[in-house]
Amino acid sequence: MLTDSRIQEHNEKLADDHAFRWGYMQEWLHRKGIDAEHILQQLQAYQVAIPSWALGTGGTRFGRYPGGGEPRSLEEKIEDVGLLHALNRASGSISLHIPWDIPQDVQAIQNLLDEHHLTIDSVNSNTFQDQKDANHSYKFGSLCHTQSEVRQQAIDHNMEVVEYGKQLGCHTLTVWLADGSNFPGQHHFRRAYQRTADSLKAIYNAMPEDWTMLVEYKPYEPHFYSMIIPDWGTSLRLAEYCGPNAQVLVDLGHHLPNTNIEQIVARLLHFGRLGGFHFNGSMYGDDDLTTGSIKPFQLFLIFCELVQAAQDSAVQNPAVAYMIDASHNTKDPLEDLLQSVQTIMTAYAKALLVNTKGLFAAQEANDVVRAEEMLKDPFLADVRPLVAEAIRRNGGALNPLGLYRQLDIRRQLIDKRGKLAVATGL
Amino acid sequence: MLTDSRIQEHNEKLADDHAFRWGYMQEWLHRKGIDAEHILQQLQAYQVAIPSWALGTGGTRFGRYPGGGEPRSLEEKIEDVGLLHALNRASGSISLHIPWDIPQDVQAIQNLLDEHHLTIDSVNSNTFQDQKDANHSYKFGSLCHTQSEVRQQAIDHNMEVVEYGKQLGCHTLTVWLADGSNFPGQHHFRRAYQRTADSLKAIYNAMPEDWTMLVEYKPYEPHFYSMIIPDWGTSLRLAEYCGPNAQVLVDLGHHLPNTNIEQIVARLLHFGRLGGFHFNGSMYGDDDLTTGSIKPFQLFLIFCELVQAAQDSAVQNPAVAYMIDASHNTKDPLEDLLQSVQTIMTAYAKALLVNTKGLFAAQEANDVVRAEEMLKDPFLADVRPLVAEAIRRNGGALNPLGLYRQLDIRRQLIDKRGKLAVATGL
Amino acid sequence: MLTDSRIQEHNEKLADDHAFRWGYMQEWLHRKGIDAEHILQQLQAYQVAIPSWALGTGGTRFGRYPGGGEPRSLEEKIEDVGLLHALNRASGSISLHIPWDIPQDVQAIQNLLDEHHLTIDSVNSNTFQDQKDANHSYKFGSLCHTQSEVRQQAIDHNMEVVEYGKQLGCHTLTVWLADGSNFPGQHHFRRAYQRTADSLKAIYNAMPEDWTMLVEYKPYEPHFYSMIIPDWGTSLRLAEYCGPNAQVLVDLGHHLPNTNIEQIVARLLHFGRLGGFHFNGSMYGDDDLTTGSIKPFQLFLIFCELVQAAQDSAVQNPAVAYMIDASHNTKDPLEDLLQSVQTIMTAYAKALLVNTKGLFAAQEANDVVRAEEMLKDPFLADVRPLVAEAIRRNGGALNPLGLYRQLDIRRQLIDKRGKLAVATGL
Amino acid sequence: MLTDSRIQEHNEKLADDHAFRWGYMQEWLHRKGIDAEHILQQLQAYQVAIPSWALGTGGTRFGRYPGGGEPRSLEEKIEDVGLLHALNRASGSISLHIPWDIPQDVQAIQNLLDEHHLTIDSVNSNTFQDQKDANHSYKFGSLCHTQSEVRQQAIDHNMEVVEYGKQLGCHTLTVWLADGSNFPGQHHFRRAYQRTADSLKAIYNAMPEDWTMLVEYKPYEPHFYSMIIPDWGTSLRLAEYCGPNAQVLVDLGHHLPNTNIEQIVARLLHFGRLGGFHFNGSMYGDDDLTTGSIKPFQLFLIFCELVQAAQDSAVQNPAVAYMIDASHNTKDPLEDLLQSVQTIMTAYAKALLVNTKGLFAAQEANDVVRAEEMLKDPFLADVRPLVAEAIRRNGGALNPLGLYRQLDIRRQLIDKRGKLAVATGL
């Protein structure tokens, strides 16, 4: 289906228009005194991980409307991500979910990954569902459970997840804990917290030294009165309780209404504990929409914090893991992911154009209007040619989504995998 | 399992304590100049409908933890509601959901209902899921769909639901429309609205004259950018577009954060368009928790509006349908429903104790503190003996939940129906 | 201070850069098949009103930090707006607030307005504060008050406001009602509503036939339990109760968290009852920040609805009044307003570039991704050259804010009016 | 006006009714196996501080409607609190606000406090307003300001506040920091945070060793894009940065929509960093309504955490400071405060009745329904006789609000202080 020559062909057709737009952008940057090549290098180096669980059609508790051609195995998931990466050269890694993605033949999987130039960036444990053969139920919690056997089962599962990750060269364990309560009185808040902290520490202590544990937070869902880890403050506290290799993971949809997320990002960077992101779009809660589809300005402001921190020697924060975590209920999952990556790169490109020195000077002078305009200027610029050029230089398509549609890849996948294929875990 | 003599026995055991508490309450009411018998009559007459879909363990998109013994058929659902009603004598009707509850043998179902002293208060259509044999998918909407065939299928389904309702003596159609969009641009807001309005009107026009259509609203979920009917303003508009027998249904969990729901209730009563309630508890959104479990004061204030309107000849509003709509994810569904009914009756009892005349006088005089205290006084009172006495006089148990547990009914249901029974529709 | 020749001079300095950017934009539009001149005409015709109360430094209940040089009279307010309009040629009207802006010499005021090419677009009543000589207090409400004398005083005040408006050629009365309650029980919801409806109707009936009444809504503040007009549904109902010349006014900051405002705009257009806007920026509530400073994408989506409706003969909506309503607490008010107008024009320009036909086709086909991309394409474009060219052709400055700063106008105003000048009403 | 014999007289009139209700309550407690005397002792020992700034009529940025008779000096404020304390014997301390409450004659003030059996529980600094004689403005922040002179002025002010507190035997400094930003770009998040942390530490280090610093958080207002201390996570971090005597202060109205505040309370207790409360009622944000007027169940749940922690030797938390912080815009401030104290004691009394042992057992067993019912049982009880008896035994009035009204105290205050008296700071 997708080959390098197809990409070449596609790019040639768009070459004239791209040259027109990119030429202008180069001159525009030049007039601003910005080194286009320097920006391009950073864009070309940028990668965001694709979650294996987002390759099939998602749904809500009310139902699911599958679109067909979903990957039926880990191998097919890798193929799908490989396809995305071939198109945009910016999605060269996968987040795996255990038990949905247990590799049967590790070497074969590794070969397939290599073939598609992919790595495993993170493995994710699942203690929010009961597996068929499980001895204990997570109905009333996992790492926070009142019974030590249940906690131990959840700890063991996490260790097993790390084991699978090690086999595939991964160094990051992401823990999203669904534990919580639905009613006042259900949880002994203090004891449930401490049990969780100790369970997490047990996992942390058993991890290899060169691994990182990412602790995600979420204010509600699947529980609706309290969540064990509802906010960044709790995640940070737990990370510190575990040790230096535990970090906070920020999922954009996991915040109460009106939260200033970019400030949280800045704080975590300042504390040296920002471990990674789950990118998605959100209007109400954990909507899991396409990244940047609702609040593109917020996404840009988050990247501004990241870029500024990267340029600031005062910041002692480890490398940040960039991951998408979305649910594609009404869109073709692959199209959604192509849009997401493009939007993320666009936000990053704009943030790279910020005149940091000028911004800091305006901040020091309390010149509110000038400081704001320093951010609005790159936000209002059209940086799409910059993103397209970065992808092009990496060997990708000038218009990844356009080419995907033009090649009718979804139809090909349906032909191959069937209309009723269901991705593992859905 | 549950028999009248069991209830008798249970009540006798609690008779002394009840006499103590009820005796005090009588004297307390007497000192306030309140006619206890008059209050009791209203409480005894109160009924709230049980939704057929809430008799099994609910879940979220992340999973479900069934508890066992769930009703496997419409017949078993009726038996479960019959059990609840036998315990509290206040849940004598059922809301049916089509296609989950299609009666195969109407006469047999009617007999079973009669046996348990139950009626069908409302039939609910389902255009938020694709049925196996459906010609058209609701992935992109039902009554709002761009294609007339899809709209017609949804209209026909609603008419079929009415047909089933007619067979069982029901006179109310509840329409909850999941239609909406997930992304900017997806919907042509104005056209999608008008298509919905016309579809609803087609259903309305085809309903029997003595039927009522209830139009529910919800701000988000299962769609996360826009819902066709997001708020009471839209529901009201659509109801008026349809005709005098269309009314607004208020689901307590279907509001944006911080909404003053009791004011909406008052407004709809004022406009003569309050059709009914879906009671449940909510902290974040459509949490579907036990009614009153999070904001019991709000529930009380809602009942205050209902009681005041019932006493006010200026209000021209049809009879209001009281229905529970909840999802029992971590509790035994029957226990949850017993709690809900008890809490609803408690709120109603407190509202009945409000000194309406004194309240209105304080309001006229702008005596804010006195008006507030007029509401706080009954809210702070312990009206449980009043509720217990009303149930007792109706033949129910002084402590419905206690008796349910004492008789170990869940275990009996599991023995009979199995650990893995799954309620239809879940 | 500001003269046409200064503007000329400024534009000449920027001419080369503008030519570079505008030249590219023209070619870019040409390649898209968009008629640049047609877009320009619409942009050139666009005007947004400046509120007289936003020309001084605003504040919160915690304090105010005035910046100096504030207008001390209606005359100086007109001069300030005249200055803004001279710079951007897009803010050629003023919203007056009575009693803060009562004209003493109508003819002189009219001459001053003419001199600055300004009109009065709306007069605003104030029944949320007690005036020194008032007979009755609005502590417990105005149009909703339990006492008829207080309601009559508020009605009379509105009529007086209309009278002042008539003298200055205005045809719009804006009613923002602060009436509400702080505690449960304080208001008899139904009666308070009906009193309000009847008071509004009395004002409406006394207005000249060619006047429009705009009914604003707000969910909370200055009252924190209930507001008489909390949402669009109530505003719409009241407008309909009054008559065809009553319309709903949408203030962007007056919504509960996560409200989809663009959908409300579409609905009101569909019902023919969208009367106007109060533009501002908001993150939490009625923050009164610079328009578009927090959610620029939302502002764009609102303009998309307006542009689409303007092109759609099915829409029967009167002309919409565009007004800013903000509070400038930390910025120079004039700079804030210059930013706001620029941002509004930018959003409008992007909305004008939407391929409406293509969008509608994608919507009809339920092609969610294509429909979304149809909106993202113009949103991601850099339309600033288009806005600059429109202003330039109208005789304004290519960079209004830049010229304002360059001329050091604030310092001139401080020199003239003093450091401690306080705008009327603050 | 108010004398002990008046209270005596009042109590005698209500003696019969109180005996009736209290008699029942005693028997009710006895049947539950609860030691009434033990509960009473705890209730009698409970004290909540009254804020000096809440004794006058509050307002919003839109205006203020003073009610008359407001205290014009620190002396009159003490008299007002003395009055409240005489009525309910539960409000025996005052929170002072500097510079509004600077004592001129320390010994005289101390004598007056003694006379009324009052203490100073906390002194509050003010860096959110510019004082007339200030060298530097806080327009762009105080402890976070970019200029060291401004930070130093704010630090010095806090030290001055401590000095005043020392003179009056106070040991607690409450820091509410209004510092924040209104627009993206305005603040360098990381640097502004670090400057704040270092300023706070400077204050902390200069405090006497037996003093406590309370660090308050608030998500928005008076700034609307970011606040330096928006959430408990930031407060906790700053407290830890300062040292062991720095604690977090929880103001009930300072949370984003839907926040689970009782969980935050439990967490802070677990971390040993819960310093105190600002009690008030809230529906939307920092509404500053009467405590418990909107969410009485939430207030009860918060007290449940406090009571459970007090009984749990695992909790190492210093004594918690209980303070009211409200704004009385439409009520008589003294009536509002009497209501607040009564409601707080009611919540505390209910929490004291929780069967902690039974609750913990249900929690351990994951019996969600039983655990919930363990909380609902005392919440639904009418504990007003218990509260009344505690106040009576302390020498206060059975019905403090009733006696206040009966004695027409507000009219007396107006006669004495005048209709237009304005409390310092308003």
Side-chain angles (χ1 to χ4, degrees), chain B residues 140 145-147 182-195 220 225-234 236-237 240 256-260 262-264 266-267 269-271 297 301 305 308-309 312 314-315 359-360 362-366 368 371-372 375, chain C residues 140 145-147 182-195 220 225-234 236-237 240 256-260 262-264 266-267 269-271 297 301 305 308-309 312 314-315 359-360 362-366 368 371-372 375:
Chain B
F140 299 110
H145 202 282
T146 52
Q147 295 169 23
N182 274 331
F183 296 99
Q186 181 178 344
H187 267 191
H188 189 298
F189 285 139
R190 290 180 283 107
R191 293 183 191 166
Y193 173 84
Q194 192 54 44
R195 288 192 296 260
Y220 64 95
Y225 171 63
S226 74
M227 293 287 279
I228 286 283
I229 315 182
D231 48 26
W232 72 267
T234 306
L236 176 62
R237 191 82 187 186
E240 291 177 333
L256 290 176
N258 305 335
T259 302
N260 185 325
E262 54 271 29
Q263 190 184 34
I264 292 175
R267 288 281 150 81
L269 285 164
H270 188 58
F271 302 147
F297 189 48
L301 293 173
E305 294 302 324
Q308 286 167 32
D312 188 341
V315 176
L359 174 64
F360 292 174
Q363 289 169 339
E364 284 296 309
N366 292 305
V368 183
E372 190 190 14
L375 293 182
Chain C
F140 299 111
H145 203 282
T146 51
Q147 295 169 23
N182 274 331
F183 296 99
Q186 181 178 344
H187 267 191
H188 189 299
F189 284 140
R190 290 178 285 109
R191 293 183 191 165
Y193 173 84
Q194 192 55 43
R195 288 192 296 262
Y220 64 95
Y225 171 63
S226 73
M227 293 287 279
I228 286 282
I229 314 182
D231 48 24
W232 72 267
T234 306
L236 176 61
R237 191 82 187 186
E240 290 177 333
L256 290 176
N258 305 337
T259 302
N260 185 325
E262 54 270 30
Q263 191 186 32
I264 292 174
R267 289 280 151 83
L269 285 164
H270 188 57
F271 301 146
F297 189 48
L301 293 173
E305 294 302 324
Q308 285 168 33
D312 188 341
V315 176
L359 173 64
F360 292 174
Q363 289 169 338
E364 284 296 308
N366 291 305
V368 183
E372 189 191 14
L375 293 183

Side-chain angles (χ1 to χ4, degrees), chain A residues 146 185 189-190 194 225 227-228 231-232 237 240 260 262-263 267 270 312 315 363-364 366, chain D residues 146 185 189-190 194 225 227-228 231-232 237 240 260 262-263 267 270 305 312 315 363-364 366:
Chain A
T146 52
F189 285 140
R190 290 179 284 110
Q194 193 53 44
Y225 171 63
M227 293 288 278
I228 286 282
D231 48 27
W232 72 267
R237 191 82 187 185
E240 290 177 333
N260 185 325
E262 53 271 29
Q263 190 185 32
R267 290 280 151 82
H270 188 57
D312 188 341
V315 176
Q363 288 169 339
E364 285 296 309
N366 292 305
Chain D
T146 52
F189 285 138
R190 290 179 283 108
Q194 193 54 45
Y225 171 63
M227 292 288 278
I228 285 283
D231 47 27
W232 71 267
R237 192 82 187 185
E240 291 177 332
N260 185 325
E262 53 271 31
Q263 191 185 33
R267 289 281 150 83
H270 188 58
E305 294 302 324
D312 187 341
V315 176
Q363 289 169 339
E364 284 297 308
N366 291 305

Side-chain angles (χ1 to χ4, degrees), chain D residues 98-147:
Chain D
I98 306 297
W100 302 336
D101 302 317
I102 294 178
Q104 300 307 324
D105 179 342
V106 170
Q107 192 52 53
I109 292 293
Q110 190 56 59
N111 292 346
L112 194 61
L113 288 168
D114 293 346
E115 186 187 316
H116 290 286
H117 311 289
L118 301 176
T119 57
I120 301 302
D121 88 306
S122 167
V123 281
N124 295 257
S125 56
N126 177 339
T127 62
F128 54 88
Q129 293 175 327
D130 285 347
Q131 304 307 324
K132 269 181 192 154
D133 51 350
N135 290 318
H136 304 286
S137 169
Y138 296 134
K139 181 169 190 168
F140 298 110
S142 60
L143 297 183
C144 84
H145 203 283
T146 52
Q147 294 169 24

